[in-house]
Amino acid sequence: MSARTEEEQAVAETIELADAASVSASVAEPAQRDARDEHAEQGMRGVQTLSMAKAINAGLREALRADEKVILMGEDIGPLGGVFRVTEGLSAELGERRVLDTPLAESGIVGTAIGLAMRGYRPVIEIQFDGFIFPGFDQITTQLARLTVRHDGAISMPVVIRVPYGGHIGSIEHHQESPEAYFAHTPGLRVVSPSSPHDAYWMIQEAIASNDPVLFFEPKSRYWPKGPVDQDHSGVPLHASRVIRQGTDVTVVGHGAMISTLLQAADIAAEEGMSLEVVDLRSLSPIDYGPLLDSVQRTGRLVVAQEAYGFVSVGSEIAATVAERAFYSLEAPVLRVSGFDTPFPPAALETEYLPSPDRVLEAVDRALGY
Amino acid sequence: MSLYRPHKKGTTPSGYRGTVVARERDFTAPTVQLLNPAGVLRPTPEAEPYLPLVEALPDTTLEQFYRDMAISRRIDIAGANLQRQGQLALWVPSHGQEAAQVGSARAARAQDHIFPSYREHIVGMIRGLDPVNILSLLRGATLGGWNPAENGNFHLYTLVLASQTLHATGYAMGIQFDGSVGTGDPETDAAVLVYYGDGSTSQGDANEALVFASSYQTPQVFFIQNNQWAISVPVSRQSRSPLSLRGSGFGMPGVRIDGNDVLVSYAVTRQSLEEARSGAGPSLIEAVTYRMGAHTTADDPTKYRTDAEVAYWAERDPITRYRTWLEGRGASPAFFDEVDAEAADVAADLRRRALSLTAPTREKIFAHVYSEPHPLMAEELAWLDAYESGFEGGAA
Ligand SMILES: Cc1ncc(C[n+]2csc(CCOP(=O)(O)OP(=O)(O)O)c2C)c(N)n1
Ligand SMILES: [Mg+2]
């Protein structure tokens, strides 16, 4: 896996959490970073450098310790710690009643999680790989997503489904998929995706605290690069999007692993004298359009990047909505950079398939050409 | 025994060692029955152990079984009529399945949880559900209709076949994790009873539910109503062996009962639920019964089944046989008259109230889709309100 280079780690570290200033006022909690020293004296935990896998692990541990109704369910998540080791050590610490190695059946996992939620539990499911969520698709879309409305709000469905997703890891078929759109398309579900260890640490805890079902898409190519995690302050709420790099010429937006691609594109663009503003979506359902529309109103140009197929995708939805709401600000049509509308190819071809910084810049050039 | 017959040289294609002698493929299971179709209490050998559970029942309970079944049948008629008169989108009949449903439902305790399919109206009523809520669902006024916590732990109907088997199993896992099993306290030890049909046994979820239940040893009873048909497809297409055998394949006891015998339905379910509450684990019951009516009011059963078959099952009617037995024990004609009058009243009252059900207002489209505020719900409701108000007070 030579892909996980120092360069990538450096990129991860540029995803600073310190830029709370760029957060849209409509959704953000006030930043209180100046109080950090005080908190440290009061036994707060401060900033640690963690990989995303370790950050999620730490977030899960917090949630498990804080509420005994939180339980983890999945395949190989117990003594093994999951195939990506995200749950490493949790069953040893909390016991096999809190970290369930379930039978090998995704519909069974989701369906029984629903029953457990009816009983007052807060199950957190790990789907082993993106491509294997589909046996559970029926229970997620026809049951989990609808049981609250079918009960007229008398019950909630606080179930989190963690999905390691996306390419860049050179793996075999069904191990590099980006199925977010299926779930974002389904009323009753919430869909989020962190791009940094810091966000992952906080967002997993916020997802667990949510009383609605949350699909939590973890960009598995970002599991290993390390970054700062401020364990005292979350920054922005679960469903907030935010500007993570300011710029003036073109806005580029994405989520998950695409963020590192967009930041690399922004660096290259800067060398060429172009200024890109990078927006991290963070939440795919609902979408927090505030920061994005603000940005587009300033730049007049938008490129949406995603690993998923472009046809009928989250990127398509963003393009349509921005066209509706920022029509008079746009200097160019909203352009999409996506995976192609084919099955994810054999890994030998993935670098051609996945949006790269160069493909993003090609779209940026086209946007500037109008 | 050799699996292969020797073959005469040169008579089989090369590679074949002989003519295959197939192994036995006939699977059978005895049908446990207490009350035979003639209304005589004559337990089959396998039913003997269950007899004391029935002998312990007071007359009032035995009479209640009859009352429940009579009410169920009357409501069936009322529901079908309402549908024909355009008051319901659909009615789902349970004529013929009354004994399976009443016996099993009466075996549950107040703290137990019931996960129905969509045909168990009398089960809901036994748990305290006002059936007008079911009509509200079938009328298209709600997607659910009731809060299980306020209606005897009778959960919502599920239209995606067998989905509820997994919810039931998850719920039972929760009971297990909470330690509300096997403490010996009959008031708090709880179990889950889940209903599904013969066709639904083919769904993946039904099978995964058995895997999870067995794996976690849930306090749970799977109650299959084998009414012989899944719409137009006979049970033989779903299974070549008795469905009760699905239990042992997954590591739990399975019993095939005469589903038209309310006493055996009660006794076997009672025993199974008690085992579950005691911590002995899950079990499965196949109640062999028959759907006398159409699948729903949208169905035409003359297209796929014979009059002779229907006549065969009519002879095995669950209510007639039970009435014969009660009469033999000395139940008075006045009792039956009184029950018939009560059933007619319940059905008439239900009909009256069904006709006065009001349509929901448009906020209901958006309310409770999420438990927590969601921007699209707020935006879209505001838009719809504004759109509709554009017509209000306009030229009529
Ligand atoms: C997953 C799914 N597939 C198809 C249907 C349509 N459908 C409704 S009822 C039914 C037959 C069910 O048969 P069975 O499980 O035996 O129950 P019964 O209706 O006989 O009580 C079918 C095919 C459905 N509701 N759900
Ligand atoms: Mg059937």
Side-chain angles (χ1 to χ4, degrees):
Chain A
M1 297 286 143
S2 59
R4 257 163 281 129
T5 56
E6 277 170 42
E7 181 208 353
E8 276 204 309
Q9 297 213 5
V11 171
E13 269 140 55
T14 64
I15 308 172
E16 265 288 10
L17 35 139
D19 57 354
S22 65
V23 163
S24 96
S26 61
V27 289
E29 286 150 356
Q32 296 172 333
R33 300 184 52 77
D34 47 349
R36 191 191 293 164
D37 291 351
E38 254 172 69
H39 288 146
E41 283 162 25
Q42 294 162 9
M44 302 297 274
R45 280 160 288 197
V47 179
Q48 280 196 44
T49 302
L50 296 175
S51 68
M52 186 185 285
K54 286 271 185 282
I56 297 171
N57 180 279
L60 290 171
R61 182 179 283 106
E62 297 280 338
L64 284 160
R65 283 179 180 163
D67 181 354
E68 63 170 25
K69 291 295 181 189
V70 174
I71 56 172
L72 309 190
M73 303 173 74
E75 296 158 7
D76 306 292
I77 66 168
L80 180 66
V83 293
F84 293 104
R85 307 292 182 268
V86 172
T87 57
E88 193 153 49
L90 298 179
S91 87
E93 179 184 332
L94 292 134
E96 60 174 28
R97 232 281 282 116
R98 304 289 303 285
V99 182
L100 306 180
D101 262 339
T102 63
L104 214 171
E106 287 75 10
S107 191
I109 297 170
V110 179
T112 54
I114 288 169
L116 280 156
M118 288 173 167
R119 180 76 186 175
Y121 283 83
R122 305 183 83 85
V124 182
I125 292 168
E126 175 173 302
I127 297 291
Q128 198 157 69
F129 286 92
D130 35 50
F132 307 132
I133 195 168
F134 297 104
F137 192 75
D138 169 43
Q139 283 284 347
I140 296 171
T141 56
T142 75
Q143 304 300 312
L144 181 62
R146 292 171 182 234
L147 280 162
T148 299
V149 72
R150 293 190 63 230
H151 284 83
D152 282 329
I155 66 167
S156 294
M157 277 290 123
V159 177
V160 176
I161 303 180
R162 296 179 37 240
V163 191
Y165 88 100
H168 310 278
I169 67 162
S171 195
I172 52 173
E173 196 186 2
H174 308 297
H175 292 70
Q176 307 217 80
E177 310 285 315
S178 295
E180 309 91 278
Y182 295 108
F183 304 97
H185 186 66
T186 303
L189 302 177
R190 296 172 182 270
V191 183
V192 302
S193 181
S195 66
S196 67
H198 174 81
D199 272 355
Y201 172 78
W202 285 106
M203 287 169 74
I204 189 62
Q205 294 179 71
E206 290 159 349
I208 294 169
S210 169
N211 285 322
D212 288 316
V214 179
L215 275 285
F216 193 87
F217 282 93
E218 300 171 3
K220 60 175 112 69
S221 64
R222 309 302 303 166
Y223 269 151
W224 304 284
K226 290 183 179 172
V229 175
D230 181 342
Q231 291 182 304
D232 298 333
H233 304 290
S234 67
V236 297
L238 183 61
H239 293 293
S241 64
R242 62 177 187 169
V243 175
I244 56 163
R245 174 175 171 137
Q246 287 171 336
T248 52
D249 296 333
V250 177
T251 304
V252 292
V253 64
H255 68 273
M258 266 304 102
I259 296 303
S260 82
T261 303
L262 295 178
L263 289 169
Q264 289 174 56
D267 281 345
I268 300 167
E271 285 165 21
E272 295 171 5
M274 284 181 294
S275 165
L276 303 190
E277 178 144 302
V278 181
V279 178
D280 184 354
L281 219 43
R282 297 173 83 256
S283 174
L284 311 182
S285 176
I287 290 176
D288 173 23
Y289 280 106
L292 186 58
L293 291 170
D294 277 359
S295 177
V296 171
Q297 271 149 18
R298 280 182 280 102
T299 62
R301 292 177 167 83
L302 178 64
V303 171
V304 190
Q306 58 190 1
E307 291 182 39
Y309 321 123
F311 187 72
V312 196
S313 62
V314 171
S316 312
E317 178 61 31
I318 291 174
T321 302
V322 170
E324 282 175 20
R325 299 203 196 163
F327 186 68
Y328 290 108
S329 304
L330 286 171
E331 306 283 343
V334 179
L335 298 178
R336 282 170 294 160
V337 182
S338 309
F340 296 108
D341 294 304
T342 67
F344 196 97
L349 294 167
E350 75 171 332
T351 51
E352 289 201 63
Y353 179 88
L354 290 165
S356 59
D358 283 340
R359 271 178 55 197
V360 171
L361 290 170
E362 185 274 338
V364 164
D365 286 344
R366 271 193 288 138
L368 286 166
Y370 281 87
Chain B
M1 185 190 89
S2 166
L3 291 177
Y4 299 101
R5 275 193 203 122
H7 62 89
K8 284 194 210 105
K9 235 183 177 161
T11 58
T12 52
S14 62
Y16 285 87
R17 299 179 55 110
T19 307
V20 172
V21 180
R23 284 161 292 163
E24 188 61 55
R25 277 171 169 73
D26 274 344
F27 300 99
T28 54
T31 303
V32 182
Q33 181 190 70
L34 287 165
L35 197 58
N36 74 16
V40 180
L41 190 64
R42 186 174 294 150
T44 56
E46 297 78 14
E48 291 286 353
Y50 299 101
L51 192 55
L53 288 170
V54 166
E55 286 169 343
L57 292 175
D59 283 355
T60 47
T61 304
L62 295 172
E63 286 171 3
Q64 188 63 45
F65 291 175
Y66 185 82
R67 185 175 287 113
D68 293 336
M69 292 199 289
I71 288 173
S72 178
R73 193 157 293 181
R74 274 313 272 260
I75 283 181
D76 219 49
I77 297 167
N81 284 340
L82 281 166
Q83 194 279 332
R84 263 184 233 118
Q85 292 153 5
Q87 295 296 329
L88 301 178
L90 198 71
W91 176 250
V92 191
S94 48
H95 184 169
Q97 300 177 222
E98 293 90 348
Q101 296 184 358
V102 167
S104 55
R106 285 284 170 198
R109 295 185 65 101
Q111 71 270 24
D112 293 338
H113 280 253
I114 317 274
F115 287 77
S117 177
Y118 45 72
R119 206 181 281 287
E120 293 76 26
H121 319 312
I122 190 63
V123 177
M125 290 174 73
I126 288 170
R127 301 300 288 187
L129 176 70
D130 181 343
V132 81
N133 294 303
I134 296 173
L135 297 190
S136 183
L137 173 75
L138 298 176
R139 195 181 163 89
T142 175
L143 298 175
W146 59 91
N147 178 359
E150 293 166 1
N151 290 280
N153 301 329
F154 183 69
H155 287 258
L156 292 184
Y157 278 178
T158 298
L159 299 180
V160 184
L161 296 173
S163 297
Q164 79 278 13
T165 58
L166 282 169
H167 308 163
T169 300
Y171 199 94
M173 286 164 66
I175 293 176
Q176 168 93 294
F177 296 167
D178 291 345
S180 302
V181 157
T183 68
D185 181 347
E187 302 307 320
T188 58
D189 282 348
V192 171
L193 176 60
V194 56
Y195 290 92
Y196 56 120
D198 48 290
S200 304
T201 62
S202 294
Q203 288 284 338
D205 280 3
N207 291 277
E208 293 185 22
L210 293 169
V211 170
F212 276 66
S214 180
S215 180
Y216 290 102
Q217 287 294 290
T218 54
Q220 180 177 15
V221 178
F222 291 88
F223 195 95
I224 301 167
Q225 290 177 80
N226 174 2
N227 64 7
Q228 312 302 321
W229 293 93
I231 310 185
S232 67
V233 179
V235 63
S236 57
R237 182 61 48 82
Q238 317 294 343
S239 180
R240 293 293 182 140
S241 60
L243 292 168
S244 60
L245 298 183
R246 301 262 165 115
S248 60
F250 290 92
M252 65 182 80
V255 184
R256 169 176 258 213
I257 65 167
D258 179 346
N260 286 6
D261 169 1
V262 70
L263 296 177
V264 86
S265 174
Y266 166 80
V268 175
T269 312
R270 172 77 193 260
Q271 169 73 23
S272 305
L273 284 170
E274 263 168 23
E275 286 175 16
R277 281 186 224 104
S278 77
S283 59
L284 178 146
I285 297 169
E286 176 197 9
V288 179
T289 180
Y290 195 71
R291 193 195 75 214
M292 294 299 293
H295 168 68
T296 68
T297 41
D299 176 39
D300 175 7
T302 63
K303 288 205 147 104
Y304 53 83
R305 66 188 194 184
T306 63
D307 291 348
E309 178 181 305
V310 178
Y312 170 90
W313 284 96
E315 307 244 298
R316 282 155 186 76
D317 184 77
I319 300 185
T320 311
R321 106 168 53 163
Y322 191 58
R323 181 176 176 138
T324 304
W325 182 68
L326 285 182
E327 283 169 348
R329 296 177 87 245
S332 67
F335 165 74
F336 295 105
D337 291 346
E338 177 214 308
V339 168
D340 287 347
E342 183 186 339
D345 282 352
V346 170
D349 173 61
L350 178 61
R351 179 184 166 78
R352 222 173 1 256
R353 290 185 301 123
L355 294 176
S356 61
L357 279 171
T358 51
T361 52
R362 60 178 171 260
E363 301 83 60
K364 191 172 168 73
I365 299 174
F366 305 96
H368 310 302
V369 173
Y370 296 87
S371 289
E372 299 185 9
H374 190 285
L376 281 185
M377 299 303 101
E379 277 167 33
E380 292 178 7
L381 174 60
W383 183 90
L384 183 57
D385 278 341
Y387 173 79
E388 293 290 350
S389 71
F391 298 104
E392 282 157 20

